[in-house]
Amino acid sequence: MEKARYYEDTMAAAYMEGKSPKFDIGAGPLPGEMHLAAGQEPCAAAVCVHLRSDDTVTATHRPHHAAIAKGVDLKKMTAEIFGKAAGLGGGRGGHMHLLAPAVNFVCSGIIGEGAGPAVGAALAAKLKGSDAIAVSYLGEGAANQGGVHESLNLAALWKLPVIFIIEDNGWGISVPKSASTAVADNSVRAGSYGIPGSHVADNDTLMLFDVAEQAVNRARRGDGPTLIEVETYRYYGHFQGDPELYRPKGEVAELKAKDPIARLRRQIIGQGVTEEEANEAVSKARREVDEAFAFARAAAYPAPSDALTQVFA
């Protein structure tokens, strides 16, 4: 969680290089959109800690925390985001289209797009006789997409080993959940498909850890899918440069007052973890992030001729 938070904060600063005093989305070393998930770390860490490299994760357009928790190579991922040849996709995909076959991780900029591929990965595992599972991350706004419900239906019908994680950060771009979704808690929708549904309130890392463990064990046993909605927060805007005029004043400060990382640190200190161990874990995480950014900045851009490779017509 510390690694993901520091990564997002570092990325936020790097993204704004060359974009001030007047914001220009095409300027600087990171042109284009950038979506950060600082505050949503429990959704990734408390779930992916139960997964193996052969388990599949499909993530959203806000993917870095999930990628880090799943074990995606940090240097290659950062190089990809900087558009460098050493990146996961040779700099072609950028931050919303990360692909890491080594750990079965993928994400997409299309809302709710990952649900279908996760169901496909779960079906493939079942047909192969493997106990590998799949996890699909989606936002509370994406939970209203037709493709998501088709995926839930097939997963339940075929009893597939897939877990759907809804990251409810309260905002679908600038639309509050109350204005977009007929139910206050998406986990109740699990009943429509005859599968278990759980709601994790207040970004509670340890509660999600337990709920996710049960869902993973259920999937590996062959007992079918689970739907989990996590009440989480995002500290940054929908995208970097978002003026966030839709957010109530003081909302982010109130959320940070109950930060999940600080809360977890308080919970584990004295329960087998010392202050020194916690500090060393933070230092180690930050060193890895700093090394990844240094690697990405120093890496070469693709040659112009690479534009003609890996093209299919």
Side-chain angles (χ1 to χ4, degrees):
M1 288 169 66
E2 286 280 5
K3 187 188 295 185
R5 173 67 58 80
Y6 185 60
Y7 189 88
E8 297 289 67
D9 289 344
T10 304
M11 186 63 74
Y15 179 78
M16 291 306 296
E17 291 175 14
K19 294 184 174 68
S20 60
K22 182 179 179 180
F23 182 76
D24 178 356
I25 197 170
L30 291 163
E33 285 195 311
M34 178 63 64
H35 308 84
L36 302 179
Q40 298 183 197
E41 295 85 3
C43 302
V47 175
C48 292
V49 69
H50 300 295
L51 303 182
R52 308 186 309 233
S53 61
D54 61 335
D55 295 325
T56 295
V57 167
T58 65
T60 71
H61 60 284
R62 200 180 305 282
H64 306 153
H65 59 320
I68 289 170
K70 188 59 169 71
V72 173
D73 186 294
L74 205 59
K75 290 182 178 179
K76 291 181 179 180
M77 181 173 89
T78 311
E80 179 64 27
I81 296 170
F82 273 81
K84 300 299 184 70
L88 293 168
R92 293 173 175 81
H95 103 101
M96 286 189 286
H97 302 95
L98 303 170
L99 174 64
V103 293
N104 290 297
F105 177 89
V106 68
C107 62
S108 173
I110 305 301
I111 303 302
E113 187 276 339
V119 169
L123 175 60
K126 185 172 184 177
L127 291 174
K128 292 176 181 177
S130 165
D131 68 344
I133 69 170
V135 174
S136 174
Y137 282 95
L138 55 143
E140 86 286 342
N144 297 318
Q145 290 281 353
V148 171
H149 290 273
E150 292 173 5
S151 300
L152 280 161
N153 183 61
L154 275 183
L157 185 66
W158 294 341
K159 211 171 181 180
L160 298 179
V162 59
I163 302 167
F164 299 87
I165 306 289
I166 300 175
E167 297 181 278
D168 175 14
N169 61 25
W171 295 101
I173 306 180
S174 60
V175 179
K177 184 180 181 182
S178 60
S180 67
T181 304
V183 292
D185 175 5
N186 276 305
S187 69
V188 303
R189 290 174 160 180
S192 301
Y193 303 103
I195 63 175
S198 296
H199 179 80
V200 177
D202 202 26
N203 226 7
D204 191 319
T205 305
L206 296 181
M207 181 183 293
L208 178 56
F209 178 94
D210 292 337
V211 169
E213 183 177 39
Q214 294 171 19
V216 169
N217 291 340
R218 168 182 162 82
R220 292 208 198 282
R221 287 195 307 266
D223 292 339
T226 301
L227 175 65
I228 302 170
E229 179 165 81
V230 186
E231 180 187 322
T232 190
Y233 339 124
R234 63 166 163 84
Y235 294 154
Y236 291 111
H238 169 66
F239 61 92
Q240 293 310 98
D242 178 0
E244 301 184 67
L245 300 177
Y246 52 88
R247 294 183 94 153
K249 289 184 177 180
E251 180 184 76
V252 174
E254 290 176 8
L255 295 176
K256 287 186 175 181
K258 52 181 182 178
D259 183 78
I261 298 178
R263 193 189 328 167
L264 182 61
R265 182 186 176 100
R266 290 193 298 269
Q267 289 172 318
I268 66 174
I269 295 295
Q271 297 184 20
V273 178
T274 67
E275 288 275 1
E276 292 74 19
E277 288 171 329
N279 291 338
E280 176 52 34
V282 173
S283 297
K284 181 176 182 293
R286 293 188 174 193
R287 285 195 301 270
E288 291 178 12
V289 171
D290 288 339
E291 290 170 2
F293 273 83
F295 173 84
R297 288 182 183 275
Y301 284 103
S305 59
D306 284 349
L308 302 178
T309 63
Q310 299 188 33
V311 176
F312 298 87

